[in-house]
């Protein structure tokens, strides 16, 4: 199909020359439709663009983004880190381990990897440098750990995938829990081997009064993921309603309990989130139209059949898919990756008998690896800025062991889908 070549070639051409992603996808789709002679379907593009954002589950995107922003500026992250320091101060390389564990917990609040990098990095990077870590090492630990922000639920990319692939948001959230815990534990083990001699566990004893005070100070931060996930899986509200509840919770905690969230800060957050989410939704619009054309034209089926014919081994096919996702993750944003690849990958994996929930789990993990790997590397640039490093080259050198570790665990989750499906199955959820 010649129009398929036109679609891919024009998309790559526009992206290479710096055209915005939404414009690139839209123009490539129109040119491919004209090449295919399918001009009668052109009016359908606007219809597909509208219906793509007229979606109740997608309301969770701006709401989870806003709640994470409000929790960050209201001091939640500081209280969370203090509590983690109290619990895990006896681990080898304690500052690095506390950073990873705090990122995992903050990920259960924000749903965003860059937000996690900013919130936890802003608190932990300077103490890590004072403890003997170099700036590059501290930034590398933060950037890699922040990737847990989109693996641990709630996760903004998971909402996008669930909506695109027509799977349960709740099931996909649960599918990310065990892989996220495994990855966090693997980070801590690596920290111990790499930085055990740089920083030794503290020998100071903690008094009961200090423990109670620290716990009480952090109780509202710890309550956020409990309310969100407990509400969803307790059947009290849907993931989208949970996102709305989290916004109200963040406002109440920030304004009336911690009393450090002003009307000016709330307005600034609303403005920033509006811009951020608008660009995301624009990409969703045009990418959905492209996905519809790829599917309705038979291109997706043709590609899927060609790929399946070329690979007799399931392991080999999954390896190729993961390598492709890793490369894309280094180049473009998570939303674009999900929307552009789902129409191709889902039919291929379904033909292998794989659950789309399991596919979503390893796809999100792969995107997380891409967010740490240059040139895109969203979490890396945030951590680099906080660490005050002039170049990302030293940080990238320190990051490679973590990138290899993350990709290896991602392959494990892809090859053994029961790792991600274990919890959804246990809870009796649809997979």
């Amino acid at each position: 199909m010649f129009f398929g070549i036109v679609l891919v070639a024009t998309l790559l051409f526009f992206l290479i020359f710096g055209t915005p992603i939404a414009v690139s996808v839209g123009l490539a789709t129109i040119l491919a439709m004209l090449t295919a002679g399918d001009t009668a379907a052109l009016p359908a593009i606007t219809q597909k663009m509208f219906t793509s954002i007229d979606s109740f589950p997608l309301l969770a995107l701006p709401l989870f983004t806003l709640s994470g922003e409000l929790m960050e500026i209201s001091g939640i992250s500081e209280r969370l880190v203090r509590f983690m320091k109290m619990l895990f101060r006896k681990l080898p390389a304690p500052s690095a381990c506390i950073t990873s564990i705090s990122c995992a917990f903050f990920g259960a609040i924000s749903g965003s990897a860059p937000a996690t990098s900013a919130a936890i990095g802003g608190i932990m990077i300077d103490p890590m440098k004072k403890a003997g870590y170099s700036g590059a090492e501290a930034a590398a630990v933060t950037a890699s750990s922040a990737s847990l922000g989109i693996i641990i639920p709630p996760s903004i990319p998971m909402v996008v995938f669930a909506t695109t692939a027509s799977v349960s948001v709740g099931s996909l959230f649960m599918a990310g829990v065990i892989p996220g815990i495994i990855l966090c534990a693997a980070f801590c083990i690596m920290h111990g081997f790499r930085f055990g001699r740089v920083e030794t566990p503290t020998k100071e004893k903690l008094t009961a009064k200090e423990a109670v005070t620290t716990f009480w100070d952090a109780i509202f931060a710890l309550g956020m993921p409990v309310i969100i996930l407990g509400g969803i899986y307790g059947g009290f509200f849907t993931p989208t309603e949970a996102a709305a509840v989290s916004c109200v919770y963040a406002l109440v905690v920030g304004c009336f309990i911690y009393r450090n969230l002003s009307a000016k800060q709330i307005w600034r957050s609303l403005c920033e989130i509006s811009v951020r989410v608008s660009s995301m939704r624009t990409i969703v619009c045009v990418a959905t139209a492209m996905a519809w054309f790829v599917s309705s034209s038979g291109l997706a089926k043709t590609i899927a059949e060609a790929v399946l014919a070329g690979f007799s081994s399931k392991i080999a096919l999954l390896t190729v898919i993961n390598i492709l996702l890793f490369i894309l993750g280094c180049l473009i944003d998570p939303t674009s990756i999900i929307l552009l690849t789902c129409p191709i990958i889902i039919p291929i994996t379904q033909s292998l008998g794989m659950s789309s929930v399991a596919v979503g789990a390893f796809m999100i993990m792969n995107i997380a690896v891409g967010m740490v790997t240059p040139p895109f590397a969203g979490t890396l640039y945030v951590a680099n800025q906080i660490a005050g490093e002039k170049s990302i080259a030293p940080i990238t050198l320190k990051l490679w062991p973590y990138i290899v570790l993350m990709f290896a665990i991602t392959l494990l989750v892809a090859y053994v889908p029961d790792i991600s499906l274990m919890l959804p199955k246990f809870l009796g959820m649809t997979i």
Side-chain angles (χ1 to χ4, degrees):
M1 294 185 180
F2 180 69
F3 67 87
I5 298 174
V6 172
L7 179 68
V8 175
T10 52
L11 179 59
L12 291 175
F13 174 82
F14 289 129
L15 289 175
I16 289 171
F17 285 95
T19 309
I21 292 175
V23 178
S24 300
V25 173
L27 289 175
T29 303
I30 293 172
L31 288 172
M33 293 179 76
L34 293 174
T35 304
D38 197 8
T39 54
L42 282 174
I45 291 181
T46 53
Q47 180 187 3
K48 295 298 178 182
M49 290 175 67
F50 174 77
T51 55
S52 68
I53 58 172
D54 184 23
S55 166
F56 182 70
L58 274 181
L59 278 175
L61 289 181
L63 293 173
F64 274 133
T65 306
L66 177 60
S67 67
E69 181 79 11
L70 293 174
M71 296 296 271
E72 179 184 345
I73 62 178
S74 63
I76 288 291
S77 53
E78 292 182 27
R79 291 168 171 84
L80 188 63
V81 168
R82 282 201 296 268
F83 180 70
M84 294 304 157
K85 284 182 177 179
M86 179 189 75
L87 285 183
F88 302 106
R89 67 191 191 284
K90 295 293 185 181
L91 291 177
S95 293
C97 292
I98 289 165
T99 299
S100 293
I101 297 169
S102 297
C103 284
F105 271 84
F106 193 80
I109 295 174
S110 70
S112 165
T116 302
S117 183
I120 304 303
I123 299 167
M124 289 302 301
I125 285 179
D126 281 343
M128 288 174 70
K129 290 165 74 173
K130 291 177 183 176
Y133 298 79
S134 68
E137 289 170 340
V141 168
T142 302
S144 56
S145 301
S147 63
L148 294 167
I150 64 169
I151 300 172
I152 302 286
S155 163
I156 293 171
M158 282 184 179
V159 174
V160 177
F161 179 90
T163 306
T164 306
S166 299
V167 300
S168 165
V169 177
S171 298
L172 189 55
F173 276 2
M174 282 294 96
V177 172
I178 292 178
I181 292 173
I182 292 173
L183 189 56
C184 184
F187 281 156
C188 291
I189 293 170
M190 179 170 280
H191 296 333
F193 281 108
R194 296 190 74 192
F195 306 118
R197 295 181 180 179
V198 174
E199 183 189 22
T200 56
T202 180
K203 296 180 180 179
E204 295 180 7
K205 291 184 178 181
L206 188 71
T207 66
K209 182 179 179 181
E210 289 174 330
V212 171
T213 302
T214 304
F215 171 74
W216 183 253
D217 197 37
I219 194 167
F220 292 103
L222 299 171
M224 180 73 153
V226 173
I227 289 174
I228 295 174
L229 300 179
I232 293 172
Y233 304 113
F236 295 102
F237 34 70
T238 66
T240 303
E241 291 166 346
V245 170
S246 69
C247 287
V248 175
Y249 182 85
L251 284 170
V252 171
V253 171
C255 294
F256 302 109
I257 297 176
Y258 294 151
R259 298 182 181 180
N260 54 3
L261 191 60
S262 65
K264 185 178 180 180
Q265 289 173 315
I266 295 171
W267 175 251
R268 189 186 304 119
S269 295
L270 286 170
C271 293
E272 291 176 358
I273 296 303
S274 297
V275 173
R276 196 185 313 168
V277 172
S278 295
S279 62
M280 189 186 304
R281 300 277 283 214
T282 303
I283 294 172
V284 169
C285 283
V286 293
T288 302
M290 179 179 180
W292 166 78
F293 171 66
V294 168
S295 177
S296 62
S297 65
L299 181 60
K301 183 180 179 181
T302 302
I303 294 174
E305 290 174 350
V307 170
L308 289 170
F311 293 93
S312 57
S313 168
K314 180 179 178 179
I315 296 295
L317 182 55
L318 287 174
T319 302
V320 170
I321 290 174
N322 276 279
I323 291 173
L324 172 64
L325 290 171
F326 171 73
I327 294 170
L328 290 174
C330 300
L331 300 173
I332 56 179
D333 65 281
T335 301
S336 301
I337 295 171
I338 293 168
L339 294 168
L340 294 175
T341 59
C342 269
I344 306 298
I345 291 176
I346 294 299
I348 294 172
T349 52
Q350 284 179 342
S351 67
L352 298 174
M354 291 190 67
S355 161
S356 294
V357 173
V359 175
F362 75 71
M363 180 180 283
I364 299 301
M365 292 185 71
N366 226 313
I367 289 171
V369 182
M371 295 190 76
V372 181
T373 311
F376 184 71
T379 62
L380 172 58
Y381 292 117
V382 173
N384 177 71
Q385 186 176 11
I386 295 171
E389 295 292 307
K390 296 180 180 179
S391 169
I392 66 166
I395 303 175
T396 304
L397 292 174
K398 299 293 182 182
L399 264 175
W400 277 112
Y402 294 105
I403 293 171
V404 172
L405 176 66
M406 292 172 70
F407 190 67
I409 294 176
T410 300
L411 288 177
L412 176 65
V413 172
Y415 298 152
V416 188
D418 283 340
I419 294 175
S420 57
L421 296 179
M422 187 186 308
L423 197 52
K425 285 181 179 177
F426 178 76
L427 295 173
M429 306 178 78
T430 304
I431 57 171

